[in-house]
Amino acid sequence: MVEGIVAKTDKAELKECWKMIWKNPYIMRLALSAGIGGFLFGYDTANISGALLYIRDDYESVNKSTWLQETIVSTTVLGAIIGAACGGYMNDRIGRKKSILLADIIFFMGAMVMAIAPNPGVIIVGRILVGFGVGIASVTSPLYISETSHAKIRGALVSINGLLLTGGQFLAYLINLAFTRAPGTWRWMLGVAGIPALLQLFLMLSLPESPRWLYRKKNVDEARKILAKIYPSDEVDKEMAALAASIEAEKADEAFTGEDMISKVRGAFKNTVVRRGLYAGIAVQVAQQFVGINTIMYYAPTIVQFAGFASKTMALSLSLITSGLNALGTIISMGFVDRFGRRKLMIFSMIGIIVFLVATSVVFIEASNHAPKISSLESAHFGANSTCPAYVSASDASKWNCMSCLKVHCGFCSNSASIYHPGACMASTKGLRSACGEQHRVFFEQGCPSRFGVLAVILLALYIIFYAFGMGTVPWIVNSEIYPLRYRGIGGGIAAVSNWVSNLIVSQSYLTLIEHLGAGGTFSLFAGVSCISLGFIYRFVPETRGLKFEEVEKMLEKGYKPRMWCWGRKHEQENSVDSV
């Protein structure tokens, strides 16, 4: 799951943060107002998962097309890639505040387009607009918070963006659940996203521009006025001097690396230290997506249906639990990342992810093998024209079970006595779904009745916890520490784009993989890719906990090479050799 910048923080910084915002609530007002961008990001990644259940009901073309479902989900990621790429330029050109305002306007427009969409094509247009707004906000919100925060509590305040992101995901499932019986269901689910965008728009109108951007644009007096609201009066001059020195150093770096993006990228890959940093930074960002986490965020209710829960309300309720666990894991991560270190936490997280992906895969395979049989009598119960055509013409129809029926895009209408008894294989149409329900039977389209369903959901919950406290947040921290100062922006940008692109690949291919490999096979594939990712993390990612930027740079200059299962920072520094 893409989560923006999550700054490191510790207990001392959190205590200092509470003390400062108690004395000066204006600091928290700045952080919370900008942090709504993270909330929008989280809300949009989660709300489509519930809305998709009802979009399929309204549009048969979507229900019958795996590709169309994937496109509705993943085009937001495509829009976000473009938005994030444009966000850096916009931040420098028009400022942080105006960039956030523009992101809110675009996001609101996208939400309204989706809410009134007359067909799936218009939904996709709305998804792209929302994604573009999300992409801009993902770059700008953490930057604005960072530049309008007191230096002593900057990490704690930037962490608000990450917490609001997971909070947005949780609230999205809650709102989806609230609208399950409302007329228009998915239109409300998608349209309500425009409300927090409007809220942020109005809040940001009364807030200042980033003092750093103003100073760079030679609005020195305005920058001082803003800093005077953030810092005590006796610290303003010192902060102004630090700001001037920082911007001068930044200009010197631009003279060294070049101002245009192509020159910066070329310079980054030519520099040995930066290139080695990118091996680590890109490895953790790609691994974060290729463990399959955003399949859970984007398709959670659908996956719950794969586990045998046909009820949309039940699927959304169980998805709400998984989202809450993701938020809980993020909070746990904040308490452990500086105690145990980045590398150890990621490796431990990846081992847990692999274990529970394999276990989930086994459960789904067993559920498929023990799916209820198809009864010819039950299938004929609703009339000859209602029976699935593929079942009628199959030479091995006597061997069919529920999964065989679903694989040919038909539906399974359960036996009236028990959902686990042999049932009917029927054509998947809105009329037949209703006819099945009217006889107090359950119609299954995504997954089959299974006694393993509860176990599958428990395993997915454990997978999410292991992901959230390690791979969910640590990759962003590593990317904030692994690059030399003058390349930090471009290095982090390259790694972030690799994250977005990996997200797009996974979200656009997930349902197709399910269709060809089954849920069990797909989770097995993610487990295999996770094993490869674990190897890359072990090989290329050094421990950066407690190291100064100069020490990290020196370690990468020599070349990093780990030894078998040695965790200590001191040991790994001593064993840095010329290797890459």
Side-chain angles (χ1 to χ4, degrees):
M1 171 183 64
V2 180
E3 295 189 353
I5 299 172
V6 180
K8 61 178 179 179
T9 185
D10 55 30
K11 291 181 180 178
E13 189 173 7
L14 287 172
K15 288 181 180 178
E16 186 69 23
C17 179
W18 285 115
K19 186 188 297 183
M20 282 194 175
I21 63 176
W22 182 260
K23 291 180 179 178
N24 185 4
Y26 183 73
I27 298 174
M28 180 57 78
R29 181 184 167 193
L30 290 169
L32 284 176
S33 298
I36 294 175
F39 177 88
L40 291 172
F41 190 175
Y43 185 91
D44 185 69
T45 59
N47 74 340
I48 188 60
S49 62
L52 187 63
L53 301 180
Y54 296 92
I55 293 172
R56 290 200 305 247
D57 283 348
D58 281 3
Y59 298 109
E60 282 296 323
S61 59
V62 177
N63 192 44
K64 297 293 186 183
S65 172
T66 297
W67 178 85
L68 198 50
Q69 293 176 45
E70 290 171 333
T71 302
I72 289 172
V73 170
S74 62
T75 43
T76 290
V77 181
L78 178 61
I81 293 172
I82 301 169
C86 297
Y89 172 79
M90 290 168 57
N91 283 332
D92 291 337
R93 186 72 176 176
I94 64 175
R96 285 57 160 149
K97 176 181 175 178
K98 289 181 180 177
S99 294
I100 292 175
L101 293 174
L102 181 59
D104 288 330
I105 293 170
I106 295 172
F107 192 100
F108 179 78
M109 289 171 56
M112 293 303 100
V113 167
M114 289 188 293
I116 63 173
N119 56 62
V122 177
I123 296 176
I124 291 170
V125 171
R127 295 286 294 162
I128 293 173
L129 287 172
V130 163
F132 191 76
V134 162
I136 297 172
S138 71
V139 172
T140 311
S141 292
L143 184 63
Y144 181 88
I145 297 172
S146 174
E147 294 179 351
T148 56
S149 302
H150 193 293
K152 291 181 180 178
I153 60 172
R154 186 167 294 143
L157 289 179
V158 175
S159 294
I160 289 174
N161 192 67
L163 289 175
L164 285 173
L165 189 151
T166 53
Q169 291 173 335
F170 181 80
L171 187 62
Y173 286 121
L174 197 61
I175 289 175
N176 282 356
L177 195 59
F179 283 116
T180 53
R181 299 190 183 281
T185 52
W186 63 268
R187 297 184 185 276
W188 285 103
M189 294 174 180
L190 298 178
V192 164
I195 294 176
L198 277 182
L199 175 62
Q200 186 179 44
L201 178 68
F202 286 115
L203 288 174
M204 289 300 301
L205 285 173
S206 62
L207 295 180
E209 180 53 83
S210 156
R212 184 181 185 86
W213 186 82
L214 289 170
Y215 194 101
R216 173 127 194 182
K217 296 298 181 181
K218 306 191 186 310
N219 293 327
V220 180
D221 292 339
E222 188 67 26
R224 176 182 283 274
K225 288 179 184 177
I226 298 165
L227 290 175
K229 293 182 178 181
I230 299 170
Y231 289 84
S233 57
D234 59 334
E235 295 183 28
V236 175
D237 288 337
K238 181 181 177 182
E239 187 62 25
M240 284 292 291
L243 186 60
S246 175
I247 289 175
E248 288 304 315
E250 190 177 272
K251 289 180 178 178
D253 290 336
E254 286 177 355
F256 182 82
T257 61
E259 291 190 24
D260 65 284
M261 187 62 65
I262 295 176
S263 297
K264 289 181 179 180
V265 172
R266 189 183 295 123
F269 280 100
K270 285 182 179 179
N271 185 295
T272 302
V273 172
V274 181
R275 187 171 65 251
R276 289 171 177 167
L278 283 169
Y279 292 157
I282 292 174
V284 296
Q285 294 286 34
V286 172
Q288 186 188 65
Q289 294 302 319
F290 278 2
V291 298
I293 184 60
N294 275 326
T295 63
I296 308 296
M297 292 298 106
Y298 294 146
Y299 298 106
T302 301
I303 292 173
V304 170
Q305 288 188 328
F306 290 152
F309 297 93
S311 166
K312 296 182 180 65
T313 303
M314 176 63 75
L316 287 170
S317 298
L318 292 174
S319 300
L320 184 64
I321 295 173
T322 61
S323 177
L325 291 172
N326 187 37
L328 176 64
T330 302
I331 295 171
I332 293 172
S333 175
M334 293 173 65
F336 283 92
V337 70
D338 283 317
R339 180 179 300 179
F340 294 104
R342 291 83 166 105
R343 175 180 165 83
K344 183 186 290 187
L345 209 58
M346 282 192 293
I347 290 177
F348 185 63
S349 174
M350 286 295 293
I351 291 172
I353 286 169
I354 292 167
V355 168
F356 289 111
L357 279 174
V358 171
T360 303
S361 172
V362 171
V363 167
F364 273 110
I365 290 172
E366 285 300 304
S368 177
N369 292 338
H370 292 84
K373 299 292 184 181
I374 299 298
S375 164
S376 57
L377 291 176
E378 288 288 319
S379 298
H381 174 76
F382 293 91
N385 292 333
S386 66
T387 306
C388 174
Y391 172 72
V392 173
S393 60
S395 57
D396 60 343
S398 60
K399 298 179 181 179
W400 275 40
N401 65 13
C402 171
M403 288 303 300
S404 309
C405 182
L406 267 54
K407 284 179 181 178
V408 294
H409 303 290
C410 289
F412 177 80
C413 183
S414 68
N415 192 298
S416 57
S418 169
I419 60 173
Y420 304 115
H421 290 177
C425 185
M426 301 169 62
S428 181
T429 65
K430 187 177 292 187
L432 291 175
R433 286 195 290 269
S434 298
C436 179
E438 287 169 0
Q439 295 195 14
H440 305 290
R441 300 166 180 246
V442 183
F443 196 84
F444 293 83
E445 287 184 281
Q446 301 300 320
C448 293
S450 172
R451 301 182 191 275
F452 297 95
V454 173
L455 179 58
V457 173
I458 291 172
L459 291 172
L460 285 172
L462 291 169
Y463 157 80
I464 288 171
I465 290 175
F466 269 84
Y467 168 84
F469 78 75
M471 290 305 297
T473 55
V474 179
W476 296 100
I477 297 174
V478 169
N479 273 279
S480 72
E481 298 172 333
I482 200 74
Y483 309 110
L485 178 62
R486 65 177 178 271
Y487 287 103
R488 192 156 301 139
I490 189 65
I494 292 171
V497 169
S498 70
N499 188 298
W500 281 112
V501 172
S502 302
N503 186 337
L504 179 63
I505 292 170
V506 172
S507 59
Q508 181 64 39
S509 62
Y510 176 66
L511 292 180
T512 299
L513 289 173
I514 289 286
E515 192 173 275
H516 290 87
L517 303 179
T522 301
F523 283 113
S524 293
L525 177 62
F526 284 140
V529 174
S530 296
C531 288
I532 297 171
S533 299
L534 175 59
F536 272 89
I537 291 171
Y538 176 77
R539 172 61 184 84
F540 291 110
V541 183
E543 181 56 71
T544 57
R545 175 174 63 101
L547 294 179
K548 296 178 180 178
F549 291 127
E550 295 79 9
E551 292 175 322
V552 175
E553 188 169 349
K554 186 179 294 185
M555 178 170 55
L556 291 174
E557 187 175 355
K558 291 180 180 179
Y560 173 75
K561 186 176 181 180
R563 287 190 179 180
M564 280 296 292
W565 308 115
C566 294
W567 301 91
R569 192 190 76 201
K570 182 178 179 182
H571 176 91
E572 294 193 354
Q573 281 180 269
E574 290 172 351
N575 288 284
S576 296
V577 297
D578 205 4
S579 60
V580 182

